[in-house]
Each structure stands twice: as C-alpha cells, then as structure tokens.
Amino acid sequence: MRQWGYERQHDALDVDGEAEAEQRDALEGARDWVDDHVDRWQSVLPDLNPDIEGAVTRMQFLADHLRRVSERSLAEFGLRREEHEALHVLVRRGWRTTVTQLAMDLATAPGTLDERLDALEKRGFVVRTRARGAEQSAAAAAGEPGEQGDEIELTDEGHATWLRAIETSGQEERRLLGTLDWHEQRLISSLLRRVVLTIEGYDES
C-alpha cells in the first residue's frame, strides 16, 4: 500500500537498512488516534474533508509535542523561553548587538528586556557593556533611555548552554522525522512550503 502516491526510493537508492525499510513499510497501514478523530467528526460533519482534517490535526499535535519537549529542555538548563530567545538572537547576530536591536528582533519594548538580561548576565551567559557618553547623548536626543544603546555580548558559556538546549529539541525532531526517508522528508518540506507561501501571499494582499 503506497499512501503517498509515489514509489519509495529507499530500496533502489540504498538509503535505508533493511530493518528500517521494513519498519517503515509496516507503519503504512497503521491507524493513529487522528483517524478515529476524523471518523467521529465525519459522522457529524458530512462535508468534512478527512485529508485536510487529518493533516491539520496531526500538524497541531506534532507542534504541541515539540513545544513541550522544548520547554522541558529549557527547564533542564534553568532557562525561561524568553531568555533562550534572547540567546538565540545573539547567536544569529554574531554574538553581539545593542539592546535596541535586540528588542526589535524580539518584537518587544527595550525597557522590558532588563529583567531577562539581568538574569542572563548574572549567570554569565551575556556581558552588558554600558553605552559611552556620545551614545547616551544620541539616545537621549532620540527620546530613548541611554541603556538602549548598551551592547550585549554572548559569552562562551551562554553559547554552550543555548546549543545544549536546542540540541535536545533537535534530537526529538530527528527521531520523529527519521521515520521518513530522505525523499519523504524533502517531499513533506516542499508541500508545507507551498502552504506557507499561500499564507504569505494572503498576508501581502
């Protein structure tokens, strides 16, 4: 039974071991709780599209599961989500940025960052360099507190903690999507891209 409408590539391209291929084939005919969910609602909503309902429900379930795994991972390292997001931005910014830029990246007001930056600084994850006189004057002229010109720099310990936290989530992502071969992983990514592009096109209109 080929549920995805194309012939699997793993045997011809030798991308799977025999045991992995057999395990994947065994799952193709299996039902999950979402199938039961769709059956129940189809009896109430005859016009319900079972494929759309099944896909959306599974995506929601997967996203919720990965969010819970991520939260447990952050808790293991004593990080709140907003603190980890600040570290994430710092990594992307090349380990250094200003409070103003960090606030823009996090879509929050600069004044609300004090608590999380203080917590990260206390743990040695970031170093805050106070704005110099000229920078404070420029901030004041723009009607902003001088602290918004402060520079925030990620430390080696902050980077290591950020990396360990995301690695835990990454392991679970690889475990779950590892049930698909490379061709299926590329296919599902491509199909979801088309859906996302539809959303982006709608937002632009």
Side-chain angles (χ1 to χ4, degrees):
M1 178 176 173
R2 301 299 183 187
Q3 293 182 337
W4 295 288
Y6 69 94
E7 289 296 322
R8 281 250 178 92
Q9 306 278 325
H10 60 252
D11 292 329
L13 299 178
D14 193 26
V15 296
D16 280 320
E18 187 65 27
E20 288 83 355
E22 290 179 359
Q23 182 180 24
R24 268 198 274 268
D25 289 339
L27 289 175
E28 287 192 6
R31 287 174 59 89
D32 62 7
W33 67 269
V34 179
D35 292 311
D36 296 331
H37 161 84
V38 171
D39 288 347
R40 286 194 301 271
W41 281 105
Q42 264 198 303
S43 65
V44 179
L45 302 170
D47 294 333
L48 181 72
N49 184 312
D51 293 320
I52 292 178
E53 178 66 17
V56 170
T57 303
R58 290 183 178 96
M59 285 190 291
Q60 291 172 335
F61 178 72
L62 177 60
D64 287 343
H65 172 77
L66 291 175
R67 176 183 51 77
R68 290 191 298 269
V69 170
S70 176
E71 289 174 350
R72 287 197 299 269
S73 173
L74 294 181
E76 289 177 8
F77 295 100
L79 286 171
R80 294 183 299 176
R81 178 164 295 280
E82 58 267 26
E83 294 169 351
H84 188 258
E85 289 172 349
L87 295 178
H88 196 78
V89 169
L90 281 166
V91 172
R92 181 168 58 82
R93 283 281 174 187
W95 292 41
R96 180 190 293 268
T97 190
T98 64
V99 172
T100 301
Q101 185 61 60
L102 181 62
M104 291 175 59
D105 289 338
L106 294 172
T108 188
T112 65
L113 291 178
D114 284 342
E115 183 180 350
R116 75 180 81 174
L117 291 177
D118 287 344
L120 293 171
E121 191 172 24
K122 186 178 297 184
R123 296 183 64 183
F125 294 163
V126 301
V127 174
R128 189 174 348 194
T129 304
R130 300 299 176 183
R132 295 184 293 273
E135 293 168 336
Q136 289 179 334
S137 299
E144 302 175 345
E147 291 80 1
Q148 293 184 26
D150 291 354
E151 281 199 340
I152 308 299
E153 183 175 359
L154 185 68
T155 65
D156 289 339
E157 181 62 24
H159 179 262
T161 301
W162 166 83
L163 192 59
R164 289 196 296 268
I166 66 167
E167 178 59 23
T168 301
S169 298
Q171 287 175 355
E172 181 64 359
E173 292 169 3
R174 291 190 294 273
R175 184 184 76 85
L176 294 176
L177 292 178
T179 60
L180 308 177
D181 64 33
W182 72 268
H183 187 78
E184 292 164 337
Q185 291 171 7
R186 180 169 293 183
L187 177 63
I188 196 171
S189 178
S190 176
L191 294 175
L192 289 174
R193 181 186 300 111
R194 287 167 56 186
V195 176
V196 171
L197 287 171
T198 301
I199 297 172
E200 291 180 346
Y202 176 83
D203 289 343
E204 293 171 359
S205 63

